[in-house]
Amino acid sequence: MRKIKKVLVANRGEIAIRIMKTLKLLGIGAVGVYSEADKLSKHISYADEAYHIGEPEALKSYLNMERIIDVAKKANCDAIHPGYGFLAENHIFAKMVEDNGLIWVGPPHDCMRNLGDKINSRIIAQKANIPTTPGGTIEDLDKAHELADKLGYPILIKASAGGGGKGMRIVHDSKDLEESIKIARKEAQAAFSDPTVYIEKYIEDAHHIEIQFLLDKFGNGLYFPERECSVQRRYQKIIEESPSPTIDRHTAQEIGQAAILIAKTAGYYSAGTVEFIYDKKEKKYYFLEVNARIQVEHPVTEEISGVDLVALQIDIAEEKPLEISQNELNLRINGHAIESRIYAEDPDNNFMPSIGKIEHYREPTGNGIRVDSGFFKGSEVLIHYDPLIAKLIVKAPNRTMAIRKMYAALSDYHIAPVKTIIPLLKNIFQHEKFVNGDYNTRFIETYAADLFNTKKDSKYVSEAIVMFNYLKHKKHQAEVDEYSQSLQPYWDTIGYWRG
Amino acid sequence: MRKIKKVLVANRGEIAIRIMKTLKLLGIGAVGVYSEADKLSKHISYADEAYHIGEPEALKSYLNMERIIDVAKKANCDAIHPGYGFLAENHIFAKMVEDNGLIWVGPPHDCMRNLGDKINSRIIAQKANIPTTPGGTIEDLDKAHELADKLGYPILIKASAGGGGKGMRIVHDSKDLEESIKIARKEAQAAFSDPTVYIEKYIEDAHHIEIQFLLDKFGNGLYFPERECSVQRRYQKIIEESPSPTIDRHTAQEIGQAAILIAKTAGYYSAGTVEFIYDKKEKKYYFLEVNARIQVEHPVTEEISGVDLVALQIDIAEEKPLEISQNELNLRINGHAIESRIYAEDPDNNFMPSIGKIEHYREPTGNGIRVDSGFFKGSEVLIHYDPLIAKLIVKAPNRTMAIRKMYAALSDYHIAPVKTIIPLLKNIFQHEKFVNGDYNTRFIETYAADLFNTKKDSKYVSEAIVMFNYLKHKKHQAEVDEYSQSLQPYWDTIGYWRG
Amino acid sequence: MEKLQVNGNIVEYEISSKENEFTITLNAEKNTYSVFAYGDEYLLFNAEENKFQVLDVYRDKNKVFLWAGDEELLVEEEQEDISAENVELSENIIKSPMPGIIKEIKFEEGDMVKKGNTIIVLESMKVLNELKSSIDGVIKKIHVSVNAQVGPLELLVEIDGGE
Amino acid sequence: MEKLQVNGNIVEYEISSKENEFTITLNAEKNTYSVFAYGDEYLLFNAEENKFQVLDVYRDKNKVFLWAGDEELLVEEEQEDISAENVELSENIIKSPMPGIIKEIKFEEGDMVKKGNTIIVLESMKVLNELKSSIDGVIKKIHVSVNAQVGPLELLVEIDGGE
């Protein structure tokens, strides 16, 4: 065992805040970093100390490995927590951290290297006798055509170093294969500095099911109830829920045990997630990849289990053993949790990112409503980073109540003038298919007609017009008031202001 | 089984809101009521419909039984939920509700009558072989002196119809006995329309331990882990936590089973709480009273168990059986929860209520932080009602983390210019004795010197002065800006405002 | 009659007010609302029907965003619809659909292109977006170079349709 | 030197400013802070020490309430201490310590009372409060009657101490 006293959080936005909050609860010092563009961003106020690390461009700040390690040493940190994104799955950085005598709050770097390569991680899963999706590597274009033909179109091209849909392409026709591989390679290069891509069978009734797990350094493992993350746009999740409405408890247990097996085979410790594709028609699951980091959607698991995953990451990094058994964990699970990702994107305009200043910002509050946010009134949605404003998580005794709570909470989430996907999310939580738990990864495209551009008649037209006129009046009145007030400036009677 | 479709919530403030929120999650209509003074109070916006029921004085509005039942019938409600306080434990009202063909969301009225009388409830507990505190009724002054002398001073005088410290007096000397009985009788009459008081032994190292329980109409019962509510001022709780740091798990189970036994003996159904006094020195517990209602501090139990107690009250009122077993409940309990009551009182001035308008109001937010509040910016703390602004509840994996989370949340709770007990609460959560779980019902008086009027040197004097000067400057600047803006009123160019 | 756009639809109404009381006639229906400050929001009370509605608002110049119940509404002063004249233009030009960085320009000025050809690859928030030609034609002018950072709706490429 | 009261203590300081930058000298220590809007709060950045502090504020006339870290501060323009002259008076009168309703008046004008005698029972928020005499004396004047509603710090009873 070793004691961590001060942690540098090498991230920004909601995840930096979420990590720092737990550090405070543990009595551990939190050191923040920020780019030039983040000088006034929300996360720095949660740090005990914060350091400027470079230009807005991520490469020159949040991806600047040397600079971050320098800051960690200068600030006398004994550990680095990478959050998700940026350097979180960079095994070179993880090694560099340890070579500099700092603790890496995450899995072993060699394990990260092996799992980070998707092709390699498939081999690890196969070694553990866990099924992987049919597919293979791309040696040359002819072989790629051969493999794609054998699997049958549509097929998927995926980045070997990838994640989050970056570098992923769906190909419907062999004539598009070459161009798609090219684009995917470029995207992969841009996002992960590694152009390797591979081909996978595309499953029609596919469900994205994933298992959060924990492994300590003594071989004790815990798997949590599955999260279903099938509601996606641009191959990126926007809604996650746990438990899944798709699979039964027996399958959940089977997949959970498979996850632990894969992680152990890979020599993993810390928190991680194994992603699976579940073919509902065939009732089969396939290993997809391991996310060797804390995930965006980890709060869903926290809400139904009562654990603090970041605190447990710290425990494991401090070489403490896990304290509860799988059976104890299973029995304490209760209720249903859902997460909505609040992206600054215009859902009615092909999810075009909506850049700019948030002038009006009001978060929902209440029992069982959790908002993990990196923004407040006056924050700028910046071009340089992910347009995730916040994660809205609800917990309720059952799925029906959770969906209603989510719908009410989304209605109470007021953001302007930046556009967000809240209107789309509200439509989803009112959609019969979603409410019935009958959705797969193609949900959004299948029901696009119901979900987008659905302007209903308003119930509040009179009220809205009255309010518009009232505000006009008030504005006018305020000017009159301010004017008369300025004639007798109570506050400034002493008038000693020096410019 | 019967289905409830629309509920009148016969209450105001945070508890009315909390109940209405659950009704919405259950798809049940919520009808609100409000007094003249509450026309613009927060709770009405959570109702689907709201009705004016009379003058500010509670007797003419929230205690106006006929009026409330009239509204319920007019609005086509099929049930009434009383919350806590006001009519919640009024068995006459409960009967009137049922006589009018409405469902009472609470225990049977005859059971309420029996338990509402504290003297009678002691007899019920004794019948169930549960120990009660030594003491007895007051037949005449001589007998009272005799009994008090036998028990030994100090003794307690308590209202038989009472609760919440009203009508309760501690008597240290026999010369004060007569006057104290007189005062207590008056207070009891004022608060409960019943002047009956009785005498109880005063326990020195006393802990207030209580058990939340549920009983359905089929005899199925559940008890929850104990709440410790020993931190009190004026005999009223200000902090509650669960589990208690005072008793061990074996005792908790014993007291839990005792609670169920008493409730069953009384013929109870719905949610309720059995209060006990735990004598730490003697390791003995004594039955105190049954609270035949939902309690202020019920969220503490919800947070560690994941249940929604109001939803379960509705289930029971709908004649559904409880769905989980005691064993399942025991195994799902996890973590630690604490509640702080945010009263509008000046702790440094003998808890004088602080009446007036809340001009600045900022609630803490975050994972595991729950604020059940009846107020917002612009709300008035009114003389007519309880000065409870809100309840701040935190949940964390363990007690240490929960205390730290509470301290941070209290620091983030900003209310002005109305005074609150937040400064006192912060001192408590930093007090070594509280942090070590070493406190009893006399905690606040014992450590008054540490807890009150403790002005520490500020770390932020420079920053505060800079801010003061900045605001002065800004005010001045705003006036100049508004003035120049009023010369070119962009918004009002059309100028068609009609007064 | 006065006019406003509510959620893009033009609404005609009559309104009069006295202090905080507003009487509005809309679709031949007359309602009176009292407006009160309510926390950071507003409460509109319709005494006649004993109905109230809480509204959160944000005013951005001559637009007002409102949130009421489960709805978000946009109220604007009536505006000329200027989109019509842009329709034709959009055929011949490629604008940036969002801010980003030009990662690749696949043609040069003078090159012939077909409808559907990818002309520009724009990276925004780490995703590569292919901007395609919507007509057959010849590249007339390229206004950007590789690695240039562009704002939203910036003119990137002009294509001569040959008409 | 300028003066302010911070948490009741008088503080002397010097300050100068340029745009949003403030230089303050306090106890011979000089610090420069830049002030930024930060959500609904403010952020003060001390570039020299690379330290920042978030402050929430509320201004009530010439008082400012501030919240910084785990502290709540009150900054006021320096005021004359007027409490001294009230001390003596308070001996001879009973004021309502809080708003409430007079439930009982135990004496009449002209009655002799002893220090510690309960004179008035005031009900506030359902709790009965006994207001006692702090001197021996004679009830000079009773300003209220039973069931009267009184505000905070209203004069209820005058007692003649006999000096």
Side-chain angles (χ1 to χ4, degrees):
Chain A
M1 254 185 60
R2 50 190 182 184
K3 182 77 192 96
I4 292 175
K5 292 190 200 73
K6 201 172 183 186
V7 175
L8 183 143
V9 180
N11 217 305
R12 66 184 296 278
E14 67 86 14
I15 191 63
I17 294 169
R18 188 257 165 279
I19 294 165
M20 289 175 189
K21 280 183 175 175
T22 287
L23 292 176
K24 278 192 193 163
L25 296 185
L26 297 173
I28 295 174
V31 174
V33 293
Y34 58 96
S35 77
E36 187 62 26
D38 274 343
K39 268 192 305 193
L40 291 175
S41 73
K42 190 177 170 192
H43 77 277
I44 64 164
S45 68
Y46 290 82
D48 299 309
E49 307 160 35
Y51 296 87
H52 183 271
I53 50 162
E55 293 176 33
E57 223 178 306
L59 261 175
K60 294 179 179 165
S61 49
Y62 299 106
L63 292 172
N64 186 339
M65 304 194 246
E66 292 79 7
R67 185 88 181 92
I68 289 170
I69 286 177
D70 276 355
V71 167
K73 288 160 87 172
K74 183 178 149 199
N76 288 315
C77 295
D78 37 29
I80 290 183
H81 194 306
Y84 58 71
F86 295 126
L87 297 167
E89 293 186 276
N90 188 317
H91 65 92
I92 296 165
F93 182 62
K95 183 166 186 306
M96 201 190 278
V97 168
E98 300 204 324
D99 289 347
N100 278 275
L102 298 162
I103 295 170
W104 172 249
V105 182
H109 59 82
D110 51 345
C111 170
M112 285 169 69
R113 189 192 57 226
N114 296 339
L115 291 171
D117 185 282
K118 301 276 170 296
I119 296 166
N120 201 10
S121 76
R122 283 164 64 92
I123 295 167
I124 292 170
Q126 285 155 6
K127 207 187 291 173
N129 277 321
I130 308 301
T132 57
T133 37
T137 55
I138 300 174
E139 280 158 59
D140 57 43
L141 191 60
D142 288 345
K143 292 254 172 75
H145 271 294
E146 204 174 288
L147 176 59
D149 289 342
K150 202 184 83 188
L151 294 170
Y153 285 90
I155 56 106
L156 282 176
I157 302 172
K158 294 170 104 178
S160 186
K166 284 158 193 167
M168 183 147 105
R169 292 276 144 176
I170 177 165
V171 187
H172 293 273
D173 196 300
S174 70
K175 76 173 165 55
D176 298 328
L177 187 63
E178 186 177 354
E179 178 74 3
S180 296
I181 291 173
K182 220 168 119 188
I183 292 270
R185 280 182 169 154
K186 282 211 177 140
E187 239 178 80
Q189 175 68 33
F192 317 109
S193 310
D194 176 354
T196 315
V197 297
Y198 66 102
I199 290 176
E200 239 182 53
K201 180 178 160 68
Y202 180 80
I203 291 161
E204 299 278 333
D205 191 5
H207 292 256
H208 181 113
I209 302 279
E210 62 182 31
I211 300 290
Q212 174 74 54
F213 68 88
L214 289 166
L215 276 174
D216 65 19
K217 293 193 176 177
F218 310 94
N220 304 307
L222 286 176
Y223 62 87
F224 290 80
E226 76 291 352
R227 296 187 290 246
E228 170 137 19
C229 318
S230 299
V231 181
Q232 306 186 347
R233 63 98 186 73
R234 282 197 205 149
Y235 313 117
Q236 277 191 308
K237 305 159 189 170
I238 58 173
I239 294 172
E240 299 96 348
E241 63 178 317
S242 183
S244 156
T246 304
I247 66 173
D248 58 32
R249 291 307 87 204
H250 173 74
T251 310
Q253 190 187 348
E254 202 178 315
I255 297 180
Q257 288 166 347
I260 292 288
L261 198 58
I262 292 167
K264 282 194 177 172
T265 307
Y268 204 101
Y269 56 74
S270 190
T273 300
V274 183
E275 296 190 339
F276 296 91
I277 287 293
Y278 182 74
D279 187 334
K280 194 179 176 186
K281 210 192 288 165
E282 306 287 334
K283 298 200 170 180
K284 274 184 184 161
Y285 63 89
Y286 302 102
F287 167 81
L288 202 60
E289 62 184 56
V290 178
N291 296 137
R293 57 164 198 270
I294 192 84
Q295 269 188 302
V296 176
E297 59 269 30
H298 76 275
V300 166
T301 298
E302 293 184 326
E303 291 303 312
I304 59 164
S305 66
V307 307
D308 180 328
L309 287 168
V310 171
L312 292 169
Q313 282 187 305
I314 298 286
D315 281 354
I316 294 170
E318 286 182 333
E319 302 181 336
K320 289 182 192 156
L322 288 171
E323 276 176 359
I324 64 167
S325 71
Q326 185 66 52
N327 193 43
E328 284 171 320
L329 175 62
N330 293 347
L331 293 169
R332 68 147 77 168
I333 301 299
N334 68 80
H336 195 91
I338 312 179
E339 173 179 285
S340 288
R341 300 195 190 184
I342 313 298
Y343 280 110
E345 295 175 347
D346 183 355
D348 291 337
N349 195 4
N350 199 28
F351 298 100
M352 188 202 282
S354 187
I355 309 299
K357 198 171 192 173
I358 297 178
E359 301 283 0
H360 187 82
Y361 186 77
R362 194 183 141 91
E363 286 180 0
T365 58
N367 170 15
I369 294 174
R370 168 176 172 184
V371 181
D372 282 14
S373 152
F375 288 74
F376 46 42
K377 187 180 153 189
S379 292
E380 298 259 354
V381 181
L382 297 164
I383 180 185
H384 312 285
Y385 315 114
D386 208 50
L388 183 70
I389 292 177
K391 306 178 317 201
L392 169 58
I393 305 104
V394 299
K395 155 90 189 283
N398 58 53
R399 189 170 186 269
T400 304
M401 287 169 83
I403 289 173
R404 286 179 181 149
K405 189 177 279 194
M406 178 61 87
Y407 184 76
L410 286 166
S411 300
D412 286 346
Y413 211 143
H414 303 170
I415 301 173
V418 162
K419 294 203 171 175
T420 73
I421 65 168
I422 288 174
L424 168 67
L425 291 164
K426 281 165 68 182
N427 288 341
I428 294 172
F429 288 107
Q430 287 224 307
H431 198 276
E432 195 193 348
K433 290 288 177 182
F434 183 88
V435 169
N436 293 337
D438 183 12
Y439 66 92
N440 61 29
T441 52
R442 291 161 65 201
F443 173 70
I444 288 188
E445 51 177 292
T446 309
Y447 300 102
D450 304 340
L451 300 174
F452 294 96
N453 268 317
T454 53
K455 294 240 162 92
K456 293 170 209 149
D457 282 344
S458 171
K459 298 186 289 289
Y460 306 110
V461 175
S462 294
E463 287 89 342
I465 292 172
V466 165
M467 208 57 222
F468 185 92
N469 281 280
Y470 172 84
L471 290 173
K472 234 175 141 137
H473 178 51
K474 202 183 131 198
K475 176 79 179 349
H476 179 72
Q477 204 51 52
E479 281 160 10
V480 172
D481 291 352
E482 276 293 337
Y483 177 77
S484 28
Q485 206 181 325
S486 72
L487 297 176
Q488 26 171 293
Y490 173 83
W491 178 258
D492 284 287
T493 33
I494 314 176
Y496 71 88
W497 184 260
R498 305 144 311 280
Chain B
M1 254 184 60
R2 50 190 182 184
K3 181 76 193 100
I4 292 175
K5 292 189 200 74
K6 202 172 182 183
V7 175
L8 183 142
V9 179
N11 217 305
R12 66 185 296 278
E14 67 85 14
I15 191 64
I17 295 169
R18 189 256 165 276
I19 293 164
M20 290 175 189
K21 279 184 175 175
T22 286
L23 292 175
K24 275 190 196 164
L25 296 185
L26 297 172
I28 295 174
V31 174
V33 293
Y34 59 96
S35 76
E36 186 63 25
D38 274 343
K39 268 192 307 194
L40 291 176
S41 74
K42 189 177 170 192
H43 77 277
I44 65 165
S45 69
Y46 289 83
D48 299 310
E49 305 160 37
Y51 296 87
H52 183 271
I53 49 162
E55 293 175 37
E57 222 179 306
L59 260 176
K60 294 178 177 164
S61 49
Y62 299 106
L63 292 172
N64 186 339
M65 304 194 245
E66 291 80 8
R67 185 87 181 93
I68 289 170
I69 286 176
D70 277 356
V71 167
K73 288 160 88 172
K74 185 178 149 201
N76 289 314
C77 295
D78 37 28
I80 291 184
H81 194 305
Y84 57 72
F86 295 127
L87 297 167
E89 293 185 278
N90 187 317
H91 65 91
I92 297 166
F93 182 63
K95 184 167 186 306
M96 201 190 278
V97 167
E98 300 204 326
D99 289 346
N100 278 276
L102 298 162
I103 295 169
W104 172 251
V105 183
H109 58 82
D110 51 347
C111 170
M112 285 170 68
R113 190 192 57 228
N114 297 338
L115 292 171
D117 185 282
K118 300 278 170 294
I119 296 167
N120 202 10
S121 75
R122 282 164 63 93
I123 295 168
I124 293 171
Q126 285 154 4
K127 207 187 293 172
N129 278 321
I130 308 300
T132 57
T133 37
T137 54
I138 301 174
E139 281 158 59
D140 57 42
L141 192 60
D142 287 346
K143 292 254 173 75
H145 272 295
E146 206 175 288
L147 176 59
D149 289 341
K150 203 185 82 189
L151 294 170
Y153 284 91
I155 57 104
L156 281 177
I157 302 172
K158 293 170 104 177
S160 184
K166 286 158 191 166
M168 182 147 104
R169 291 276 144 177
I170 178 166
V171 187
H172 293 273
D173 195 301
S174 70
K175 77 172 164 54
D176 298 327
L177 186 63
E178 187 177 354
E179 177 75 3
S180 296
I181 290 173
K182 219 168 118 189
I183 292 269
R185 279 182 169 154
K186 281 208 178 141
E187 239 179 80
Q189 175 68 33
F192 315 109
S193 309
D194 177 354
T196 316
V197 296
Y198 65 102
I199 290 176
E200 238 181 55
K201 181 180 161 68
Y202 180 79
I203 291 162
E204 299 278 334
D205 190 4
H207 292 256
H208 181 113
I209 302 280
E210 62 182 29
I211 300 290
Q212 174 74 55
F213 67 88
L214 289 166
L215 276 173
D216 66 19
K217 293 191 177 178
F218 310 94
N220 305 306
L222 285 178
Y223 61 87
F224 291 79
E226 77 291 350
R227 297 187 290 247
E228 170 136 20
C229 318
S230 299
V231 181
Q232 307 187 347
R233 63 97 186 74
R234 284 197 203 148
Y235 313 117
Q236 277 192 308
K237 305 160 190 169
I238 57 173
I239 294 173
E240 300 97 348
E241 64 178 316
S242 184
S244 154
T246 303
I247 65 173
D248 58 32
R249 292 307 87 203
H250 174 75
T251 310
Q253 190 187 347
E254 203 178 314
I255 298 181
Q257 287 166 347
I260 292 288
L261 198 58
I262 292 167
K264 281 194 177 172
T265 306
Y268 203 102
Y269 56 75
S270 190
T273 300
V274 183
E275 297 190 339
F276 297 90
I277 287 293
Y278 183 74
D279 186 334
K280 195 178 176 186
K281 211 192 288 164
E282 306 287 333
K283 298 200 172 182
K284 273 184 185 163
Y285 63 90
Y286 302 103
F287 167 81
L288 201 60
E289 63 184 57
V290 179
N291 296 137
R293 59 166 196 268
I294 192 86
Q295 270 188 302
V296 176
E297 59 269 32
H298 75 275
V300 165
T301 297
E302 293 184 326
E303 291 303 313
I304 60 163
S305 66
V307 307
D308 181 328
L309 287 167
V310 171
L312 292 168
Q313 283 187 303
I314 299 286
D315 281 354
I316 294 169
E318 285 183 333
E319 303 181 335
K320 289 182 191 155
L322 288 172
E323 277 177 359
I324 63 167
S325 70
Q326 184 66 53
N327 192 43
E328 283 171 320
L329 175 62
N330 293 348
L331 292 169
R332 67 148 76 169
I333 301 300
N334 68 80
H336 195 92
I338 312 179
E339 173 179 285
S340 288
R341 299 196 191 185
I342 313 298
Y343 280 110
E345 295 174 347
D346 184 355
D348 291 336
N349 194 3
N350 199 27
F351 298 100
M352 187 201 283
S354 186
I355 309 299
K357 198 171 193 172
I358 297 178
E359 301 283 359
H360 186 83
Y361 186 77
R362 193 182 142 90
E363 287 180 358
T365 60
N367 170 15
I369 294 174
R370 167 177 173 184
V371 181
D372 282 15
S373 151
F375 288 75
F376 46 42
K377 187 181 151 187
S379 292
E380 297 260 355
V381 181
L382 298 164
I383 180 185
H384 313 284
Y385 314 114
D386 207 52
L388 182 69
I389 292 178
K391 305 176 321 200
L392 169 59
I393 306 104
V394 299
K395 154 90 190 282
N398 58 53
R399 189 169 185 269
T400 304
M401 287 169 84
I403 289 173
R404 285 179 182 149
K405 190 177 278 194
M406 178 61 88
Y407 184 76
L410 286 166
S411 301
D412 286 346
Y413 211 142
H414 302 171
I415 301 174
V418 162
K419 293 202 171 176
T420 72
I421 64 167
I422 289 174
L424 168 67
L425 291 164
K426 281 165 67 182
N427 287 341
I428 294 172
F429 289 106
Q430 287 223 308
H431 197 277
E432 195 193 348
K433 290 287 177 182
F434 183 88
V435 169
N436 292 337
D438 183 12
Y439 66 91
N440 61 28
T441 53
R442 291 162 67 202
F443 174 71
I444 287 187
E445 50 179 292
T446 309
Y447 300 102
D450 303 340
L451 301 174
F452 295 96
N453 268 316
T454 53
K455 293 241 164 88
K456 293 169 210 149
D457 282 343
S458 171
K459 296 187 290 288
Y460 306 110
V461 176
S462 294
E463 288 88 342
I465 292 172
V466 165
M467 208 57 221
F468 186 92
N469 281 280
Y470 173 84
L471 290 173
K472 236 177 142 135
H473 179 52
K474 202 183 131 197
K475 176 78 178 354
H476 179 71
Q477 204 51 51
E479 281 160 9
V480 172
D481 290 351
E482 275 294 336
Y483 177 76
S484 28
Q485 207 181 325
S486 74
L487 297 177
Q488 26 171 293
Y490 173 83
W491 177 258
D492 285 287
T493 32
I494 314 175
Y496 72 90
W497 182 259
R498 303 149 310 283
Chain C
M1 283 302 236
E2 296 174 28
K3 284 183 192 178
L4 276 174
Q5 267 187 210
V6 180
N7 290 348
N9 303 318
I10 292 175
V11 177
E12 302 201 331
Y13 65 96
E14 281 179 54
I15 197 163
S16 66
S17 75
K18 208 181 122 185
E19 285 169 16
N20 72 329
E21 219 175 80
F22 291 73
T23 301
I24 179 169
T25 309
L26 183 73
N27 303 328
E29 211 181 298
K30 194 169 179 168
N31 278 292
T32 299
Y33 299 91
S34 303
V35 181
F36 301 96
Y38 190 71
D40 292 321
E41 304 180 295
Y42 292 93
L43 184 135
L44 265 60
F45 183 62
N46 183 336
E48 227 165 288
E49 312 223 335
N50 190 37
K51 277 191 177 165
F52 55 86
Q53 184 55 48
V54 176
L55 290 112
D56 188 23
V57 301
Y58 166 67
R59 202 186 64 215
D60 183 11
K61 294 186 189 126
N62 56 343
K63 272 192 274 189
V64 173
F65 296 82
L66 297 107
W67 293 265
D70 64 351
E71 291 187 25
E72 180 179 343
L73 295 96
L74 178 61
V75 183
E76 300 162 278
E77 312 249 347
E78 199 194 347
Q79 283 180 316
E80 296 286 313
D81 190 355
I82 51 158
S83 61
E85 53 188 287
N86 282 331
V87 170
E88 227 179 322
L89 254 178
S90 71
E91 297 279 314
N92 302 320
I93 59 166
I94 297 178
K95 283 187 179 183
S96 52
M98 62 192 90
I101 290 155
I102 306 294
K103 296 307 280 191
E104 192 174 358
I105 303 172
K106 301 212 167 212
F107 295 90
E108 293 177 17
E109 288 178 11
D111 283 358
M112 295 240 311
V113 294
K114 299 221 154 210
K115 185 175 167 176
N117 279 163
T118 298
I119 314 291
I120 297 266
V121 180
L122 177 74
E123 179 182 328
S124 188
M125 288 158 172
K126 298 285 172 220
V127 174
L128 295 184
N129 300 277
E130 300 168 21
L131 309 182
K132 295 176 185 187
S133 177
S134 54
I135 53 168
D136 293 351
V138 173
I139 304 278
K140 193 172 142 195
K141 178 88 185 146
I142 298 175
H143 291 268
V144 288
S145 51
V146 170
N147 288 326
Q149 188 172 313
V150 297
L153 300 178
E154 256 184 48
L155 180 61
L156 307 180
V157 176
E158 286 173 73
I159 300 165
D160 192 339
E163 261 89 323
Chain D
M1 282 304 237
E2 297 176 26
K3 283 184 191 177
L4 277 174
Q5 267 187 211
V6 180
N7 290 348
N9 303 318
I10 292 175
V11 177
E12 301 202 334
Y13 64 96
E14 280 179 54
I15 197 163
S16 66
S17 76
K18 210 182 121 185
E19 286 170 16
N20 72 331
E21 219 175 80
F22 291 72
T23 301
I24 180 169
T25 308
L26 183 74
N27 302 329
E29 209 181 299
K30 193 169 180 170
N31 277 293
T32 299
Y33 299 90
S34 303
V35 181
F36 302 96
Y38 190 71
D40 291 323
E41 305 180 295
Y42 293 93
L43 185 135
L44 265 60
F45 183 62
N46 183 336
E48 226 164 290
E49 311 223 334
N50 189 37
K51 277 191 179 168
F52 54 87
Q53 184 55 46
V54 176
L55 290 111
D56 189 23
V57 300
Y58 166 67
R59 202 186 64 217
D60 184 10
K61 293 185 191 125
N62 57 344
K63 273 193 274 189
V64 173
F65 296 82
L66 295 108
W67 293 264
D70 64 351
E71 292 186 25
E72 180 179 340
L73 295 97
L74 178 61
V75 182
E76 301 163 277
E77 313 249 348
E78 201 194 347
Q79 283 179 317
E80 296 287 313
D81 191 356
I82 52 159
S83 61
E85 53 189 287
N86 282 331
V87 171
E88 227 178 323
L89 254 178
S90 70
E91 297 279 313
N92 302 322
I93 60 167
I94 297 179
K95 283 187 179 182
S96 51
M98 62 193 91
I101 290 155
I102 305 294
K103 296 306 281 189
E104 192 176 359
I105 304 172
K106 302 212 167 210
F107 295 90
E108 292 177 18
E109 288 177 10
D111 283 359
M112 295 241 309
V113 293
K114 299 221 155 213
K115 184 176 167 178
N117 279 163
T118 297
I119 314 291
I120 297 264
V121 180
L122 176 74
E123 179 181 327
S124 189
M125 290 161 170
K126 297 289 172 217
V127 175
L128 294 184
N129 300 275
E130 301 167 20
L131 309 182
K132 298 177 180 184
S133 175
S134 53
I135 54 169
D136 293 352
V138 174
I139 304 275
K140 193 172 143 194
K141 177 88 185 145
I142 297 176
H143 292 267
V144 288
S145 52
V146 170
N147 287 327
Q149 187 172 315
V150 297
L153 299 178
E154 256 184 48
L155 181 61
L156 307 179
V157 176
E158 287 173 73
I159 300 166
D160 192 338
E163 263 88 326

